[in-house]
Amino acid sequence: MEIYNTLTRRKAKLDPIEPGKVRMYVCGMTVYDYCHLGHARVMVAFDVITRWLRQTGLDVTYVRNITDIDDKILRRAEENGESISALTERMIAAMHEDEARLGVLRPDAEPRATGHIPEIVAMIERLIEGGYAYAAANGDVYYRVRRFADYGKLNNRNLDDMRAGARVDVDEHKEDPLDFVLWKAAKPGEASWSSPWGEGRPGWHIECSAMSTCCLGETFDIHGGGPDLTFPHHENEIAQSEAATGKPYVNVWMHAGAVRVNQEKMSKSLGNFFTIREVLEVHDPEVVRYLLVASHYRSPINYAPESLSDARKSLERFYHALDGVEPAHGDVKGIYAERFSAAMSDDFNTPEALSVLFDLAREINRLRDAEPAHASALGQELKRLANLLGLLERSPAEFFKAGAAELPLSEAEIESRIEARATAKSHRDFAEADRIRDELAALGIVLKDSREGTRWSFEAPPA
């Protein structure tokens, strides 16, 4: 298996520190608001990565943190007139609901920043002892960026360039404008914890350094996150962790691609910012998941009506192939599994893996009448491989009828019209039968006649 490493800017064979085991940390959410589409991108990307690593026989420990103390959390709690714990618990519960609807498996551990304050304080103390950090007169503690010789290696930047174009807060307590905060002195009335430097709370970057090393050790296999975290967050994590331990922090760095909305950057200022739950109120969760899986995890994704329509049509092709085919085990010669494995082992190439599934679906359709037993075996293989991507976990009937939930007709009303059509046909009133079929088709309800009767499904109309 080869994985692209952001640090080295090339793909290389995955070589776990401990044979047969992979320790992976992914930066999670700051829980002051509902999760948005960018969070969904990271959730699904690393869910697929974890599923495939385990499929290859690796014992994966997947840790995704929760930042439950932060300036944004303090501000939002005050705006809402609620306690910090009430806000964060509510948002954590919502996050778990969102990821469950997207078919995302829960991480093995979800450490919270507030649960690791002693470890955070201890790491800061080690940095001060090593000359990498200093306590300022205002009670803050800062990291000396220039003290760490390799600073900038993840992003291939040098300090002089960063200093020239830096967007840094003017702070008279810093020795250098590039230095960043490790510990923030508490203002009156703010949530705080005791430390050798007075009451305060941790900076964002040090939280992840402490939580990851506490859960996975001083050096671990994979660290992942969103595209906006490479600088400064992950750069700062490297500087803190390696200065504190004297050891390499992470072997492989992985970053998911950004989500764009109608080819524009997603942002609240542009009015194109969507939470996961807003999207799932309108679109089937599996359709959204397919959209997120269909692009390579490092590539940007465009969220737009036509892309969601394409995603639904792709899923419809798979479910149509499975419709009426009884799953059965049989000899499929392993060619599809081999191609699927080759794609996923090449830096988790999901677009290529999905192309294998389309080939399977075409073969099922070709053989369903002539060789039903073989078609059934292929159907089982299609479901098995798709399940590794978190797809095709419903029956065709469940998928097609789920899409009809928002239609103006209930399922009983649809069945009533189908019965009326059957009656019209029996009386040779074909004009009325066609009228009913056309009425339903205009809503996206497709009728399929067979010897056993008429079945219906919902298919998304063209965008």
Side-chain angles (χ1 to χ4, degrees):
M1 182 183 301
E2 290 198 327
I3 301 176
Y4 182 85
N5 189 345
T6 309
L7 180 65
T8 61
R9 296 162 191 82
R10 61 182 176 85
K11 287 190 288 188
K13 180 183 176 183
L14 176 63
D15 187 15
I17 296 167
E18 186 177 353
K21 296 186 177 183
V22 169
R23 288 172 286 156
M24 180 170 72
Y25 181 91
V26 174
C27 286
M29 276 53 78
T30 300
V31 286
Y32 72 99
D33 205 344
Y34 294 114
C35 295
H36 54 68
L37 279 176
H39 295 137
R41 169 63 154 153
V42 175
M43 285 179 178
V44 171
F46 285 96
D47 178 63
V48 169
I49 287 166
T50 301
R51 287 171 185 255
W52 183 251
L53 291 173
R54 287 176 174 153
Q55 172 64 20
T56 65
L58 291 166
D59 179 5
V60 180
T61 301
Y62 175 22
V63 178
R64 190 185 68 205
N65 78 292
I66 294 173
T67 296
D68 60 347
I69 185 67
D70 174 88
D71 290 345
K72 293 177 181 178
I73 292 172
L74 296 179
R75 286 195 297 269
R76 183 59 56 83
E78 184 176 0
E79 290 168 2
N80 293 352
E82 63 182 325
S83 68
I84 292 171
S85 61
L87 171 64
T88 56
E89 290 298 334
R90 186 161 55 84
M91 291 299 105
I92 290 169
M95 175 185 72
H96 288 153
E97 291 171 3
D98 292 342
E99 66 181 353
R101 293 189 67 192
L102 287 171
V104 174
L105 305 176
R106 293 276 284 272
D108 298 298
E110 283 186 309
R112 302 187 186 189
T114 57
H116 288 268
I117 300 296
E119 294 90 344
I120 291 169
V121 169
M123 181 170 276
I124 295 173
E125 287 181 312
R126 288 199 298 276
L127 291 171
I128 291 175
E129 291 169 4
Y132 289 95
Y134 57 94
N138 64 348
D140 291 349
V141 179
Y142 296 98
Y143 186 94
R144 284 191 179 96
V145 168
R146 293 187 185 277
R147 176 73 171 76
F148 186 70
D150 285 339
Y151 193 85
K153 64 182 178 180
L154 180 65
N155 292 272
N156 197 26
R157 301 185 182 187
N158 65 62
L159 286 172
D160 292 333
D161 290 342
M162 281 187 273
R163 179 67 184 88
R167 293 173 57 190
V168 294
D169 296 329
V170 176
D171 189 337
E172 62 183 10
H173 299 287
K174 290 183 180 182
E175 294 178 354
D176 187 300
L178 291 178
D179 294 349
F180 59 87
V181 69
L182 300 172
W183 185 262
K184 295 184 177 183
K187 297 176 182 176
E190 284 187 343
S192 64
W193 289 263
S194 298
S195 81
W197 319 286
E199 291 291 311
R201 65 181 186 278
W204 176 38
H205 311 303
I206 195 68
E207 292 175 354
C208 280
S209 284
M211 285 187 282
S212 60
T213 54
C214 285
C215 294
L216 298 174
E218 293 177 337
T219 304
F220 52 93
D221 298 290
I222 298 173
H223 193 316
D228 55 333
L229 298 183
T230 56
F231 187 86
H233 185 54
H234 288 162
E235 198 71 66
N236 290 350
E237 276 192 65
I238 292 172
Q240 294 163 159
S241 303
E242 296 191 356
T245 67
K247 300 175 182 177
Y249 179 39
V250 174
N251 284 348
V252 178
W253 285 89
M254 302 179 69
H255 293 91
V259 174
R260 300 178 68 82
V261 178
N262 291 317
Q263 300 299 344
E264 289 187 308
K265 181 180 179 181
M266 187 177 72
S267 71
K268 289 183 178 179
S269 62
L270 293 174
N272 64 357
F273 181 91
F274 299 101
T275 65
I276 295 172
R277 51 193 47 213
E278 286 172 337
V279 171
L280 298 187
E281 284 177 3
V282 182
H283 300 286
D284 185 280
E286 189 175 5
V287 172
V288 177
R289 183 180 176 102
Y290 183 93
L291 176 65
L292 297 172
V293 168
S295 296
H296 190 277
Y297 78 90
R298 287 192 283 117
S299 300
I301 288 177
N302 186 50
Y303 177 82
E306 58 270 21
S307 57
L308 284 163
S309 177
D310 289 344
R312 180 165 186 92
K313 286 178 170 58
S314 294
L315 280 173
E316 287 173 354
R317 288 175 62 185
F318 293 146
Y319 278 112
H320 276 308
L322 294 174
D323 195 16
V325 174
E326 292 297 325
H329 294 285
D331 180 18
V332 292
K333 299 181 180 178
I335 55 172
Y336 298 102
E338 289 172 8
R339 289 175 54 205
F340 188 93
S341 178
M344 292 298 291
S345 295
D346 181 14
D347 194 32
F348 311 97
N349 190 341
T350 52
E352 183 62 28
L354 286 170
S355 74
V356 177
L357 302 189
F358 282 116
D359 287 348
L360 257 172
R362 278 191 290 271
E363 191 68 358
I364 292 168
N365 290 330
R366 188 179 71 84
L367 296 173
R368 68 170 61 242
D369 294 327
E371 299 180 44
H374 192 192
S376 293
L378 292 174
Q380 182 73 9
E381 186 72 342
L382 174 59
K383 279 188 67 70
R384 184 184 74 82
L385 295 177
N387 287 172
L388 295 173
L389 303 177
L391 300 172
L392 304 189
E393 295 182 340
R394 292 177 284 182
S395 71
E398 288 172 326
F399 172 79
F400 287 119
K401 292 186 178 182
E406 301 301 320
L407 290 176
L409 299 180
S410 67
E411 187 170 339
E413 289 171 321
I414 295 170
E415 295 290 352
S416 176
R417 280 166 170 72
I418 291 173
E419 290 178 14
R421 175 174 172 267
T423 299
K425 289 176 70 176
S426 69
H427 292 124
R428 304 187 68 79
D429 187 353
F430 298 114
E432 174 64 6
D434 289 345
R435 186 195 67 77
I436 294 172
R437 175 187 282 273
D438 293 342
E439 176 191 20
L440 294 176
L443 296 174
I445 300 168
V446 178
L447 305 183
K448 295 181 181 178
D449 298 318
S450 67
R451 294 176 183 174
E452 291 75 29
T454 300
R455 291 183 298 150
W456 67 272
S457 63
F458 174 78
E459 298 184 15

